[in-house]
Amino acid sequence: MIRTNVGTLQEMDASDADLGYFGPGSVSWQVDREVTVLFGGARALLMQAAHPLVVAGVNQTQMYDRSPWKRLQRTLMLTYTITFGTKAEAHAAAERINEVHARINGIDPVTGKRYDALDPHLLLYVHATLVDSALLYEERTIGRLDDEGRQRFHEEQMLAAELVRIPKESIPPTVPALRAWLADVEDRGELAVTDGARRVAGLFMDPPRDAEWRPILPQVARLAFGTLSPHLREMYGIRWNAAKDAALRSTFALMRAARPLLPAKYRYIEPYNDWVRQGRRTPTLRPARPRG
């Protein structure tokens, strides 16, 4: 069974358990398997790190002090399992994330405010940065989705959000509303670039030796900074001008043109390629409606 619509967790039945919560007919599979969309995760991380209460929780885990890149990779694997795994695998991955979040709380030494990794507002902020960045990078490096496809991706990701304890009713119902919500977070002055945020930026600008894709991460960072809002980019101390903007547009155009020519090894993320090689999943996805 290939699902054309995704409902709530309660609406899913056992008939599609082997395909997980999404399956080959989903926009989530189509978008999340792309390496160029993975690069958009750097933008999402910079946005998340700019929220002092989010980065305070990360600091509590001591991620920066013990193999930061390997920890990021483990987190990515859990999130990819929610998308590509069976229902049982998705639940196990989500429970692991929830268990870690349950232990993260305290008082942020920078703002003096209490943080809690299970706070629905903070969870929604992290979720929104990921959805917004994935859609932005899909548009700039692939361009297959129209407004309907983007909305479908957003609605599918609401289901993933439920698994990590984000109340569905708290999620803005449309892509424009989600992006407006993110802008409101910035406009309300919730964001600030602290030492913690600068350490996240350093993971990309000056990556540790164990970082996968280390040679290209500084370029990934430049794309990430270039796609932040002007105000947030300024908060990070990044100077921007017309020449940098032109270079950004040229880089995205080159990525979009080169992508169809790349072999699967470089076009798709390794977890997806691995699952295909194992025969656990079919590589054939029903594409969303082409832009036209």
Side-chain angles (χ1 to χ4, degrees):
M1 171 178 164
I2 294 179
R3 187 185 308 110
T4 56
N5 293 297
V6 174
T8 65
L9 289 175
Q10 290 75 21
E11 292 168 347
M12 297 295 106
D13 58 44
S15 63
D16 54 3
D18 287 345
L19 292 176
Y21 280 109
F22 299 101
S26 68
V27 180
S28 292
W29 268 47
Q30 182 173 302
V31 172
D32 286 346
R33 65 177 181 167
E34 299 281 348
V35 165
T36 57
V37 172
L38 170 62
F39 291 162
R43 175 183 185 264
L45 279 175
L46 290 173
M47 294 173 71
Q48 294 165 22
H51 197 301
L53 300 186
V54 172
V55 84
V58 177
N59 284 337
Q60 183 180 323
T61 68
Q62 297 182 315
M63 188 189 80
Y64 305 119
D65 302 322
R66 299 199 302 262
S67 303
W69 199 257
K70 289 181 179 178
R71 286 191 161 207
L72 278 175
Q73 287 179 309
R74 286 196 292 270
T75 301
L76 277 175
M77 286 302 300
L78 289 172
T79 57
Y80 282 136
T81 299
I82 292 175
T83 297
F84 295 108
T86 64
K87 280 187 175 182
E89 290 167 340
H91 277 283
E95 281 308 304
R96 175 58 183 152
I97 292 170
N98 295 334
E99 288 170 6
V100 171
H101 285 172
R103 300 194 296 268
I104 299 174
N105 56 78
I107 302 298
D108 172 31
V110 176
T111 64
K113 296 179 180 179
R114 180 167 182 79
Y115 65 88
D116 187 328
L118 292 178
D119 180 340
H121 178 75
L122 298 182
L123 285 171
L124 178 55
Y125 180 70
V126 170
H127 172 78
T129 65
L130 291 167
V131 171
D132 179 50
S133 296
L135 289 176
L136 176 64
Y137 273 64
E138 192 284 333
E139 181 178 4
R140 296 206 177 185
T141 66
I142 303 168
R144 182 178 297 164
L145 298 183
D146 59 6
D147 289 342
E148 181 182 345
R150 283 187 282 273
Q151 179 63 23
R152 188 170 148 209
F153 178 79
H154 174 40
E155 291 173 2
E156 290 174 6
Q157 291 303 301
M158 289 183 190
L159 192 151
E162 287 186 85
L163 285 170
V164 292
R165 302 184 183 177
I166 302 175
K168 187 175 181 180
E169 61 272 15
S170 72
I171 306 174
T174 67
V175 173
L178 185 76
R179 287 173 164 165
W181 184 88
L182 277 172
D184 286 343
V185 170
E186 184 174 324
D187 292 343
R188 288 196 301 268
E190 288 189 37
L191 306 185
V193 172
T194 63
D195 287 343
R198 283 184 281 272
R199 291 174 77 181
V200 170
L203 290 178
F204 295 95
M205 297 302 294
D206 184 20
R209 293 185 180 275
D210 64 344
E212 192 175 1
W213 301 72
R214 189 174 190 269
I216 67 168
L217 287 177
Q219 176 62 22
V220 170
R222 283 189 283 273
L223 296 177
F225 281 119
T227 50
L228 294 176
S229 70
H231 177 59
L232 187 50
R233 191 166 54 219
E234 183 178 341
M235 290 171 66
Y236 270 104
I238 302 298
R239 296 183 178 181
W240 204 250
N241 54 40
K244 289 184 177 180
D245 199 54
L248 181 76
R249 291 196 303 270
S250 296
T251 300
F252 275 125
L254 178 62
M255 291 169 67
R256 185 165 176 168
R259 175 189 155 274
L261 307 177
L262 295 174
K265 178 180 179 180
Y266 300 108
R267 181 176 171 181
Y268 303 130
I269 61 170
E270 182 55 28
Y272 174 81
N273 286 328
D274 186 47
W275 285 317
V276 169
R277 285 193 297 267
Q278 292 179 24
R280 295 179 59 192
R281 301 288 185 267
T282 169
T284 303
L285 302 187
R286 177 173 52 78
R289 183 181 305 169
R291 297 167 70 90

